[in-house]
Every structure is written in C-alpha cells, then in structure tokens.
Amino acid sequence: MNAGSTAAQWAHLRRYPLPGTFVQGRPGSKIYRILAGVPHYVPSWAPYGGEQFFVPVAQATINRAGSGYPYGNLLR
C-alpha cells in the first residue's frame, strides 16, 4: 500500500497466493511452488510437463516468509 490508500482498496486481494502458484525469486532464477501458503523449491520443471507460468517476486519475500510485515504474504 502507498500513502493515501485504504485497506478497503486492497480487500479484494488474497492474503496468500493460490495453491499451486509458481513464483521465481528475483534477483536469481530459483522457482518455488506455493502450497498452503508455503514456498517449496522446485529443482526441475519435469514433474510439471515443462516450464510453467510463474510470478516474479523478491527473493527476500521467500527467504523471510512468515516473519511478519512486510513478508506476511507467505508462510513458513
């Protein structure tokens, strides 16, 4: 959120990514799959039939998952 915004403006957003969402930690190239709000490292795309759509996120968000604001959108 930025200055001047309200919680109501953001209420439509999910607290955690949908189960099965793939994210890529940036900078870098590690891929994670979100299950129950927790990032799980994906060493290979092979089990998923090849590369899938992923959302780039800050690696710090993954590293500090569950540690509270501003990293409260993932669990550990």
Side-chain angles (χ1 to χ4, degrees):
M1 288 197 275
N2 58 17
S5 64
T6 66
Q9 291 174 296
W10 302 96
H12 67 284
L13 299 176
R14 294 180 161 277
R15 172 134 190 208
Y16 306 110
L18 283 172
T21 299
F22 291 99
V23 298
Q24 181 185 52
R26 298 267 178 99
S29 59
K30 290 184 178 179
I31 299 291
Y32 301 83
R33 188 172 191 206
I34 307 302
L35 299 170
V38 179
H40 296 273
Y41 177 64
V42 174
S44 169
W45 284 117
Y48 308 102
E51 187 171 323
Q52 304 290 311
F53 174 81
F54 58 83
V55 179
V57 300
Q59 184 67 46
T61 300
I62 296 165
N63 295 347
R64 297 179 181 144
S67 65
Y69 182 82
Y71 306 105
N73 293 91
L74 292 174
L75 300 172
R76 242 320 142 204

